Amino acid sequence: MTTDHDVQVSVLGLGAMGTALAAALLKAGHATTVWNRSPGRTSDLVAQGATGAETAGDAVRVSRLVIACLLDHASVHEVLDPLSGVLAGRTLINVTTTTPAQARELAAWAADAGVEYLDGGIMAVPTMIGQPGSSILYSGSVAAFDRYKPLLDLWGTSTYFGADPGLASLYDLALLAGMYVMFAGFVHGAAMLAPEGVTAGEFAAMAAPWLTAMTGAFQGFATVIDGGDYTVDGQQSLEFSDLGDILTASADQGISTDVVAMVQRLIQHQIDAGHGPEGFARIIESIKQPG
């Protein structure tokens, strides 16, 4: 495992996240070459000590380690397909957001090109990079992960999930699914109160501690789900979890019921199947077996 700060790195893609990743490398003393499709984005990093490359090929040629932080799966191929020969023998760490299938496809492409591939899912916003709470998930080449872990840890806590290059992406998107549904619930609640003159800020002051406290229930749900028995004592039943009152109140406030109706459909599907007295966690069966 390398521990020195002489690893030369090239970062392709200087959006807000790519810029934050490159800046953290520079701060730690790594020689860093940067490239972006729009050249103007390199100036701030060059002022911090980075070397700006005119082309992606120029950036790849000077480093054994290449970080891709691009727009999407298609842009990774657009930038790197013409450089497969140049990339051969190098390590590519792709932290572009992709689906698990896309990550596996990129890993297969890299293997055909003789490129060592590690996929990454960033669980942080750009301002969190290098700060407590930043976490990045990895899967793919264990050799690459072990070799460059000290460098990867500059960005946040590094966690390796195995050789399947799609696993980091799968965990990433699963965590984001939970986050976005929670955010949608918060926004729905803010919309319910808005007609009464309650600001979103006032609601947030109440919602944040409430939702934080409720995350303590995750482990209990997980235990029930992993055990596969939704009849164990101590659960709130599906019948008691009926969201009809929330739907009615939302409609009375003149707002959309789409967010809450989605959860109500999951609950009702299980009640209709005869599982009303069982625990709320059983809605996972509606999710795992849609329709």
Side-chain angles (χ1 to χ4, degrees):
M1 181 182 295
T2 185
T3 57
D4 64 73
H5 282 190
D6 295 328
V7 176
Q8 178 139 345
V9 191
S10 290
V11 178
L12 308 180
L14 299 177
M17 185 59 75
T19 296
L21 298 177
L25 296 175
L26 289 167
K27 183 178 179 180
H30 288 284
T32 305
T33 298
V34 295
W35 171 85
N36 193 69
R37 197 183 307 272
S38 304
R41 294 231 176 158
T42 63
S43 56
D44 286 348
L45 290 167
V46 169
Q48 296 174 48
T51 299
E54 291 190 7
T55 69
D58 291 341
V60 170
R61 287 183 184 92
V62 299
S63 301
R64 305 301 298 176
L65 174 61
V66 177
I67 310 298
C69 187
L70 298 163
L71 177 64
D72 55 19
H73 179 257
S75 66
V76 175
H77 274 300
E78 183 180 349
V79 172
L80 296 184
D81 280 0
L83 303 176
S84 58
V86 180
L87 275 166
R90 290 172 165 77
T91 298
L92 171 64
I93 300 179
N94 178 41
V95 293
T96 306
T97 299
T98 63
T99 68
Q102 290 170 338
R104 292 172 184 130
E105 187 275 329
L106 282 167
W109 173 90
D112 288 343
V115 179
E116 188 175 46
Y117 184 86
L118 186 66
D119 201 80
I122 302 176
M123 306 309 299
V125 296
T127 55
M128 292 172 62
I129 295 299
Q131 304 298 319
S134 176
S135 173
I136 305 184
L137 318 178
Y138 297 95
S139 60
S141 169
V142 67
F145 180 78
D146 287 344
R147 185 183 315 120
Y148 293 114
K149 188 175 185 299
L151 181 149
L152 301 177
D153 285 342
L154 296 172
W155 297 333
T157 301
S158 304
T159 305
Y160 180 74
F161 286 96
D164 178 351
L167 280 177
S169 172
L170 186 59
Y171 271 94
D172 178 12
L173 297 178
L175 288 165
L176 289 174
M179 181 193 77
Y180 278 110
V181 174
M182 179 186 69
F183 284 172
F186 164 74
V187 172
H188 181 93
M192 288 181 72
L193 289 165
E196 310 310 319
V198 179
T199 68
E202 290 170 323
F203 180 57
M206 297 186 67
W210 163 249
L211 293 175
T212 299
M214 288 302 97
T215 61
F218 287 173
Q219 194 57 56
F221 285 138
T223 299
V224 171
I225 291 167
D226 290 341
D229 183 0
Y230 304 104
T231 67
V232 296
D233 292 339
Q235 300 182 73
Q236 179 171 300
S237 73
L238 287 157
E239 292 167 335
F240 187 83
S241 301
D242 179 272
L243 306 183
D245 287 344
I246 302 177
L247 290 169
T248 298
S250 298
D252 288 346
Q253 292 296 87
I255 69 168
S256 168
T257 59
D258 288 351
V259 172
V260 179
M262 176 270 293
V263 182
Q264 179 74 332
R265 284 194 296 272
L266 299 175
I267 294 169
Q268 193 61 50
H269 180 73
Q270 291 302 313
I271 291 175
D272 291 345
H275 303 293
E278 299 180 36
F280 177 83
R282 191 181 178 93
I283 68 167
I284 194 173
E285 301 299 333
S286 296
I287 297 169
K288 293 193 315 187
Q289 302 177 46

